[in-house]
Amino acid sequence: MKQMGSKLHIVILAAGIGKRMKSSRPKVLHELAGKPMLSHVVESAQALQPYRVCVVIGHGGEQIIDRFGSNDLIWVEQKPQLGTGHALLQALPELDEEGATLVLYGDVPLVRVETLSKLVQAGSGDKYAILTTALENPYGYGRIIRNEDTRAIKCIVEEKDATEAQRLVNEINTGIMYIPNRKLHIWLPKLNNDNAQKEYYLTDLIKMAVAENIPIVSAQPDYNWEILGVNSRAQMAELERIYQKENASKLLEDGVTLYDPSRIDIRGQLRCGSDVEIDVNCLFEGHVQLGNSVKIKANCVLKNVTVADGTVIQPFSHIENSAIGANCRIGPYSRIRPNTNLNDNVHIGNFVEIKQSVIAEGSKVNHLSYIGDTVMGSSVNVGAGTITCNYDGAHKHQTIIEDNVFIGSDTQLVAPVKISRGTTIGAGSTITKDTPENELTLSRAKQVTLTGWKRPSKQK
Ligand code: UD1
Ligand code: CA
């Protein structure tokens, strides 16, 4: 997005206390879709490629700075909090005379970049631009008061200062506005708090603009949910649902099958190839990429995972920081922990845990096993209940299982150990030494039968 002429400054107001959240955490750090509300606003701000982004902080300011680090943001402190106009006044030294300022709110996280650029466009050429919208129930919002004949904006009145007649107006101030900096330098210091709330109202700038014949324009968001703010946990939950529903709609539009669009949660980014199917109650975190024709069955959690074409993840599987090859079959009830890399056609079955392991093509670990710190070749069959004993209480050790190995059920592989290609391990073995290629190796007491042995029975 090219900024026409003037430098785009963005000031995000985030100093409010957020009393109704009943939390020791500052409101803007509460998470929407897995990241702080303020992150959503900062990301939308940065998408506009602004010259400068300032964040006005007050309550819990240190916690906010800690959470964000430097991140190209300019932190401005507002203490005490005397109103939205007073908040912007604190940022005034950061606002270059040539520029214009877009005012955003740390607790209004869903506003779309498209809407913001529409507002900035509307305000180009030193106009004063306000984002307004019509609400069925405008209660609590500042009302946009227009000239009855020309429809020109005259002022904004806050709910608490409004007359009966003004309260009937349903065009409201979203709070988001775009103002030439040259004017801010003149107007902001002149604000007073002569109103019902004894606050310095940002909205009073409108009267000053009117008095100077500065053109005032408005733009509207495409959706009213964009302008919703968060003051309570209930509103937070409501916005979360809106956000998730929007994500789900985009996936459907992109050709993904969702068995129920109201039962998917994305906390991060989900990219899908063609003909992907996602069953109910799946959670995607971080960056997840699903190849063509991938099926994710019900109740799976995937975090920072890539899944190649044709793979099916059966219900209740949990996969994190891993790469899954093509045409694999995972689950149900599989747990794949970080740094695992599965090649194509691998099968991981129920109650199997894999950690930090590489498994080559066509190998199978189908039942009740733990495979950790392992490099496994291709076409290996790991029997039920096999465990790699990778931890000696102090250190982790590696297990190497070469191609075409067959491991009998209930085997322990005590690492470090190498199972050479073609090895067969007899069921119930505890293997502590490397095995020779293509031989049967087992470690197991010989089976004996005690003929005539009787079970003990209770004495009468
Ligand atoms: C404000 C607008 C109102 C608009 C509404 C939209 C004013 C005077 N009124 O009212 O017209 O309809 O938003 O939600 O601007 N903040 C600070 N420092 C302060 C005060 C507020 O950083 O000293 C921040 C808050 O953290 C909050 C935002 O500004 O994120 C809005 O403040 P709030 O006091 O809730 O304004 P409203 O009364 O809702
Ligand atoms: Ca508010």
Side-chain angles (χ1 to χ4, degrees):
M1 255 149 276
K2 268 263 164 339
Q3 284 326 310
M4 341 199 357
S6 67
K7 291 177 183 164
L8 175 63
H9 296 61
I10 297 180
V11 177
I12 303 172
L13 305 190
I17 183 161
K19 222 188 310 175
R20 284 204 278 146
M21 297 297 282
K22 300 194 176 144
S23 173
S24 58
R25 243 190 315 164
K27 178 163 72 173
V28 295
L29 289 188
H30 283 259
E31 294 189 350
L32 180 96
K35 64 185 179 200
M37 270 191 275
L38 182 57
S39 300
H40 291 266
V41 182
V42 166
E43 279 169 28
S44 303
Q46 279 165 349
L48 295 167
Q49 297 179 297
Y51 166 69
R52 180 172 283 177
V53 180
C54 304
V55 186
V56 180
I57 49 175
H59 285 279
E62 269 159 42
Q63 281 183 66
I64 299 173
I65 294 173
D66 280 355
R67 179 66 178 70
F68 279 77
S70 69
N71 211 358
D72 293 337
L73 301 171
I74 295 167
W75 302 102
V76 175
E77 200 174 48
Q78 186 201 16
K79 258 178 195 166
Q81 288 84 36
L82 303 178
T84 48
H86 179 256
L88 191 57
L89 178 65
Q90 309 313 303
L92 196 56
E94 306 294 343
L95 310 180
D96 280 12
E97 294 256 347
E98 294 110 276
T101 295
L102 175 65
V103 181
L104 302 179
Y105 299 84
D107 58 1
V108 181
L110 298 185
V111 64
R112 291 157 67 245
V113 176
E114 294 86 333
T115 297
L116 297 178
S117 38
K118 194 155 78 171
L119 183 71
V120 169
Q121 290 299 324
S124 68
D126 282 347
K127 292 193 277 284
Y128 192 139
I130 314 170
L131 191 70
T132 75
T133 193
L135 293 183
E136 220 166 280
N137 175 13
Y139 179 80
Y141 287 92
R143 307 298 203 284
I144 306 290
I145 308 302
R146 292 179 184 264
N147 180 302
E148 274 174 29
D149 305 321
T150 64
R151 304 304 298 152
I153 295 177
K154 287 200 302 191
C155 63
I156 298 176
V157 243
E158 295 304 301
E159 176 81 32
K160 289 185 178 132
D161 302 296
T163 63
E164 287 289 305
Q166 287 170 330
R167 283 183 186 152
L168 295 176
V169 171
N170 64 3
E171 187 184 9
I172 60 98
N173 170 32
T174 65
I176 295 171
M177 40 182 81
Y178 178 79
I179 316 155
N181 286 354
R182 225 163 8 89
K183 293 296 164 190
L184 284 177
H185 280 275
I186 300 165
W187 296 337
L188 280 174
K190 286 199 214 157
L191 283 177
N192 65 53
N193 63 352
D194 196 3
N195 53 55
Q197 303 183 85
K198 296 279 166 275
E199 281 181 14
Y200 295 85
Y201 287 167
L202 184 57
T203 45
D204 282 351
L205 298 184
I206 302 287
K207 290 177 207 152
M208 301 187 193
V210 168
E212 292 186 27
N213 283 319
I214 302 290
I216 303 170
V217 295
S218 66
Q220 282 71 40
D222 288 337
Y223 308 100
N224 276 344
W225 50 254
E226 293 182 60
I227 61 105
L228 293 174
V230 173
N231 293 305
S232 66
R233 304 223 186 214
Q235 286 167 342
M236 188 84 222
E238 190 187 324
L239 262 64
E240 177 78 31
R241 278 309 101 208
I242 292 169
Y243 180 90
Q244 296 300 347
K245 231 181 103 193
E246 278 309 298
N247 266 328
S249 304
K250 279 183 210 143
L251 288 172
L252 293 170
E253 266 169 46
D254 290 347
V256 176
T257 296
L258 300 179
Y259 286 37
D260 182 352
S262 67
R263 282 186 289 167
I264 175 171
D265 282 81
I266 301 170
R267 300 182 192 149
Q269 256 190 352
L270 173 61
R271 299 230 180 97
C272 295
S274 63
D275 297 303
V276 166
E277 291 183 16
I278 301 173
D279 208 329
V280 299
N281 292 333
C282 291
L283 169 59
F284 299 90
E285 296 180 87
H287 291 266
V288 176
Q289 192 159 344
L290 307 179
N292 299 331
S293 303
V294 164
K295 290 186 170 64
I296 311 289
K297 304 292 192 162
N299 300 299
C300 289
V301 178
L302 274 67
K303 179 174 186 178
N304 297 319
V305 174
T306 60
V307 181
D309 298 353
T311 286
V312 179
I313 315 282
Q314 299 285 358
F316 293 98
S317 294
H318 189 173
I319 310 178
E320 185 176 348
N321 286 71
S322 292
I324 314 294
N327 302 311
C328 290
R329 211 175 64 210
I330 312 294
Y333 299 100
S334 295
R335 178 164 184 220
I336 298 180
R337 291 171 52 201
N339 302 316
T340 293
N341 194 329
L342 307 183
N343 213 308
D344 300 345
N345 296 305
V346 165
H347 292 182
I348 305 295
N350 40 219
F351 309 109
V352 172
E353 173 181 352
I354 313 274
K355 187 217 82 176
Q356 192 153 318
S357 294
V358 177
I359 299 184
E361 184 159 4
S363 289
K364 297 175 183 156
V365 189
N366 272 330
H367 326 271
L368 299 154
S369 289
Y370 171 64
I371 302 294
D373 303 304
T374 297
V375 176
M376 190 185 296
S378 59
S379 305
V380 170
N381 193 315
V382 177
T386 296
I387 306 268
T388 56
C389 310
N390 59 334
Y391 185 52
D392 60 14
H395 304 101
K396 300 280 170 65
H397 299 281
Q398 198 182 45
T399 301
I400 295 172
I401 303 172
E402 295 188 337
D403 298 345
N404 292 308
V405 163
F406 182 99
I407 298 176
S409 297
D410 194 25
T411 291
Q412 300 94 51
L413 303 170
V414 182
V417 70
K418 180 169 107 174
I419 312 302
S420 300
R421 67 183 57 249
T423 293
T424 303
I425 305 281
S429 294
T430 301
I431 301 296
T432 57
K433 294 195 278 286
D434 295 358
T435 66
E437 291 183 7
N438 301 316
E439 303 286 0
L440 169 66
T441 299
L442 70 168
S443 76
R444 173 202 293 167
K446 282 228 165 62
Q447 180 168 331
V448 294
T449 302
L450 304 185
T451 12
W453 180 85
K454 290 270 185 303
R455 283 187 204 165
S457 57
K458 273 194 180 148
Q459 303 287 334
K460 287 248 163 97

